[in-house]
Amino acid sequence: MDTLAEAPHSALSGVARVLVHAGKLNARTAEELVRSSRDKRTSFVASVIAAGAVSPSDLAHTLAVALALPLLDLSAIDAVKLPKNIIDAKLASQYQIVVLGKRGNRVFIGGADPTDQEAAERIKFATQLAPEWVIVEHDKLAKILESSGANANETMEALSSGDFEFDVTDDVTTQPDQAEVASEVEDAPVVRFLQKMLIDAINLRASDLHFEPYEYHYRVRFRVDGELREITQPPLAIKEKLSARIKVISRLDISEKRVPQDGRMKLKFGNKAIDFRVSTLPTLFGEKIVIRILDPSSAKVGIEALGYEKIEKDRLLKAIQRPYGMVLVTGPTGSGKTVSLYTCLNILNQPGVNISTVEDPAEINLPGVNQVNVNDRSGLTFAVALKSFLRQDPDIIMVGEIRDLDTADIAMKAAQTGHMVMSTLHTNDAPTTLTRLANMGVAAFNIAASVLLITAQRLARKLCENCKAPADYPRDAMLKAGFKAEDLDGNWKPFRAVGCSMCNNGYKGRVGIYQVMPISEEIQRIILANGNATEIATVAQREGVRDLRQAGLLKVRSGMTTLEELISVTNE
């Protein structure tokens, strides 16, 4: 019998490995069937049975014995009585599964391929229940799915038959040809599909929706707690109408498909309206669309909810209460910089304070704050808006991002002439922010005289309080991660992710990790002497400023996140 070692170039699935080890297939045949299933975009199990290599009954019995899973004869089950509303019919058809029942936080799934981890993840994500596999014969499963009509087209038709109003501001001025396209998609099934995707994303606390066309398929992914997850694969045929529908309600040019566009739309969800930022991008096989969910309430959660340790919070609050100077928030895209800045603005937003912001674009609507969107096409740049702000009698100015020397120079001068200026930069940590400004061409004197404090931040996934469990990390791993020997005194215990019906793989929500560095007199001297980031970091450590890894270790110690998550987000 061939072994897996004899097929070093194969990437055999779990079922393929089981069949090879059980002697039902040789490795070469298994590898050929894997390739065939990929080429034909079918499951490996379907390819095996279609080729007559293994019978459905023999395959099911082999998997049941090898994986120690129960085997169920679907011919003894009344398909009419099977649960219908636990898993979407499209999902059941896509992964060739059938729901057998539900008990507590578990859902029992009948399938011919219990090694399909992607299916398990999708089921868990869609139902918020832990899937338990029961092996069934492929041919009998196919008959049940066929009789239920669980195919993509029927699912879309069923979706379009419901009564609902897509409550989005559609008062868009269209050209005659655009109006014709708009009316064409108004009653299409994609209207219901889009509304369902938006509501599902809000319910799952997603931050972004990705609609992605490829040559042979179309997929929708959500970013939940910083992780992208595939949600569904609707029919490829809907991509043009879906794109047109999104463009109509976000006030974009429907006829323009060659250049990227940006827009906004609003959906009334329950008693509150939620804004969405829309970005289109032409790709090889159509327009990819990303929708960012903008929840205004995120700026009003309070600074305590963001995850600042007390000493870091006190440093930040002290700096923003100063009458003038500059506070910078740094970090990669998606690290929560805007929420941090708006949380500060919300604290400072009083009737006697004039606050102006310029952003690209404004993501959070904050009443009482004068917000301006950058428009490069019309000449409204960050620098132009900043110059105008200075003639508007401002007290506090927020610049969405310092991108160039002109913007940096004007912001620095504003900070030196009686204004509090807040902004963001894309740098890895607080010390490198100062050298980044110098590399832009900002004079060392202006940096030292203007910048009061720099906050670098990351977002780490929070452990689910319902299911987290104590973890036994090796001592060497803890020391390598940054813990000191005296920290490992046995008086506390780290936790690990488990996973339950209330979370996503053991995590629920995110928490900030912060490095808050005030600009002391000694750091100012290093700046004026054109010192480097390493020198600044050394002084900051001596002055009690934790770096991002050290700040994250406190979150691990408090049981808020895991060591693995900390290492992944602070692996500089």
Side-chain angles (χ1 to χ4, degrees):
M1 181 184 70
D2 291 340
T3 65
L4 294 179
E6 293 172 348
H9 302 294
S10 66
L12 299 182
S13 68
V15 172
R17 291 179 181 275
V18 171
L19 294 177
V20 170
H21 282 300
K24 300 295 181 181
L25 291 177
N26 61 52
R28 189 178 304 280
T29 301
E31 191 175 25
E32 290 173 355
L33 289 171
V34 167
R35 278 199 297 266
S36 174
S37 65
R38 287 174 180 168
D39 292 341
K40 296 178 181 178
R41 302 186 63 79
T42 61
S43 70
F44 174 76
V45 169
S47 294
V48 169
I49 293 171
V54 182
S55 70
S57 176
D58 194 10
L59 175 62
H61 280 84
T62 301
L63 291 176
V65 171
L67 302 176
L69 289 174
L71 175 64
L72 178 67
D73 183 3
L74 282 178
S75 61
I77 300 293
D78 186 353
V80 177
K81 296 181 180 179
L82 289 174
K84 295 291 190 298
N85 300 320
I86 297 177
I87 291 180
D88 184 85
K90 171 66 169 61
L91 188 65
S93 176
Q94 180 182 349
Y95 289 104
Q96 293 291 289
I97 54 173
V98 62
V99 178
L100 301 173
K102 173 186 169 187
R103 181 181 300 164
N105 65 348
R106 296 181 297 165
V107 58
F108 294 91
I109 302 296
D113 183 1
T115 67
D116 190 343
Q117 291 300 316
E118 181 182 344
E121 288 295 321
R122 286 286 301 280
I123 294 163
K124 182 177 179 181
F125 192 74
T127 64
Q128 298 297 296
L129 299 170
E132 297 279 351
W133 285 100
V134 175
I135 296 176
V136 297
E137 294 168 47
H138 182 270
D139 54 345
K140 296 176 182 177
L141 173 63
K143 287 180 181 179
I144 286 183
L145 291 175
E146 184 178 353
S147 65
S148 68
N151 58 63
N153 292 330
E154 289 181 15
T155 301
M156 291 298 290
E157 290 299 327
L159 194 58
S160 68
S161 64
D163 294 324
F164 88 70
E165 179 183 355
F166 200 168
D167 196 0
V168 181
T169 49
D170 284 339
D171 53 337
V172 53
T173 303
T174 58
Q175 299 299 325
D177 58 332
Q178 293 178 321
E180 184 179 337
V181 178
S183 62
E184 179 185 344
V185 300
E186 189 68 34
D187 297 324
V190 295
V191 176
R192 274 76 182 177
F193 178 74
L194 177 59
Q195 190 245 15
K196 183 179 187 302
M197 289 296 98
L198 293 175
I199 291 178
D200 285 352
I202 293 168
N203 287 332
L204 291 169
R205 308 180 315 278
S207 60
D208 301 88
L209 298 83
H210 292 241
F211 297 87
E212 301 171 316
Y214 296 96
E215 186 173 9
Y216 299 113
H217 71 287
Y218 191 84
R219 71 175 177 181
V220 180
R221 294 191 292 174
F222 292 173
R223 188 176 294 278
V224 180
D225 293 338
E227 280 195 330
L228 268 177
R229 298 194 172 196
E230 184 175 323
I231 300 301
T232 187
Q233 289 192 11
L236 186 61
I238 77 166
K239 69 176 183 180
E240 296 294 342
K241 288 187 176 182
L242 182 60
S243 172
R245 176 60 184 166
I246 293 173
K247 285 182 174 181
V248 166
I249 58 181
S250 52
R251 307 182 183 186
L252 299 178
D253 185 349
I254 299 173
S255 61
E256 181 57 79
K257 302 178 181 179
R258 299 165 299 176
V259 296
Q261 297 186 67
D262 294 300
R264 298 176 77 95
M265 62 185 183
K266 181 177 291 187
L267 172 68
K268 287 186 177 178
F269 185 71
N271 294 323
K272 69 175 182 177
I274 295 180
D275 289 316
F276 301 86
R277 189 180 76 195
V278 179
S279 173
T280 72
L281 180 70
T283 68
L284 286 177
F285 305 107
E287 288 180 289
K288 175 182 177 178
I289 299 176
V290 176
I291 300 178
R292 167 69 59 89
I293 300 176
L294 308 173
D295 189 355
S297 62
S298 61
K300 300 178 182 179
V301 296
I303 197 166
E304 290 79 11
L306 298 184
Y308 284 91
E309 300 294 332
K310 185 180 186 308
I311 187 171
E312 295 161 349
K313 180 183 72 173
D314 292 344
R315 286 171 179 164
L316 178 60
L317 292 177
K318 181 180 178 181
I320 65 173
Q321 297 290 349
R322 297 273 292 272
Y324 59 87
M326 178 179 283
V327 172
L328 295 172
V329 178
T330 72
T333 301
S335 59
K337 300 187 297 295
T338 300
V339 171
S340 291
L341 280 179
Y342 266 93
T343 300
C344 293
L345 290 180
N346 195 49
I347 293 170
L348 300 172
N349 187 17
Q350 303 296 330
V353 179
N354 181 17
I355 303 176
S356 295
T357 75
V358 54
E359 302 165 78
D360 184 22
E363 294 189 0
I364 298 173
N365 180 24
L366 194 59
V369 174
N370 306 292
Q371 297 172 278
V372 175
N373 273 339
V374 165
N375 189 335
D376 290 326
R377 191 174 301 173
S378 64
L380 181 56
T381 63
F382 280 113
V384 169
L386 270 175
K387 288 178 182 177
S388 180
F389 283 175
L390 296 177
R391 296 190 291 272
Q392 292 278 319
D393 185 31
D395 297 303
I396 299 168
I397 296 172
M398 196 272 270
V399 185
E401 182 185 349
I402 294 178
R403 297 177 179 173
D404 51 51
L405 179 58
D406 284 345
T407 306
D409 271 339
I410 300 169
M412 293 285 176
K413 290 171 184 174
Q416 294 175 46
T417 55
H419 307 94
M420 169 55 66
V421 179
M422 301 180 187
S423 189
T424 71
L425 273 164
H426 287 123
T427 56
N428 289 330
D429 58 16
T432 56
T433 303
L434 297 168
T435 54
R436 170 86 173 104
L437 289 170
N439 291 337
M440 275 187 183
V442 182
F445 172 80
N446 284 334
I447 299 174
S450 304
V451 182
L452 300 175
L453 176 138
I454 301 171
T455 295
Q457 66 181 68
R458 299 289 188 277
L459 289 178
R461 291 179 296 168
K462 289 175 65 176
L463 278 167
C464 173
E465 293 295 332
N466 184 60
C467 66
K468 68 180 184 181
D472 291 316
Y473 295 115
R475 182 181 177 85
D476 289 346
M478 301 281 279
L479 293 172
K480 186 177 180 181
F483 283 107
K484 297 178 181 177
E486 55 266 29
D487 294 330
L488 308 178
D489 53 13
N491 293 327
W492 61 278
K493 193 80 174 173
F495 287 84
R496 60 181 175 86
V498 177
C500 67
S501 61
M502 300 174 63
C503 65
N504 298 315
N505 297 323
Y507 296 95
K508 187 176 183 180
R510 290 191 290 177
V511 65
I513 297 173
Y514 303 94
Q515 178 188 28
V516 181
M517 186 180 80
I519 306 303
S520 64
E521 290 183 4
E522 190 170 351
I523 291 178
Q524 285 179 333
R525 282 194 288 270
I526 296 174
I527 296 169
L528 292 171
N530 295 316
N532 58 40
T534 303
E535 294 173 313
I536 295 170
T538 301
V539 171
Q541 283 277 320
R542 194 162 61 237
E543 293 176 349
V545 175
R546 301 185 186 99
D547 62 26
L548 286 165
R549 175 59 65 86
Q550 292 167 342
L553 291 174
L554 294 178
K555 299 292 189 291
V556 175
R557 181 164 182 159
S558 66
M560 200 170 290
T561 191
T562 62
L563 193 63
E564 294 89 349
E565 178 69 6
L566 169 65
I567 291 171
S568 71
V569 300
T570 62
N571 188 18
E572 306 297 346

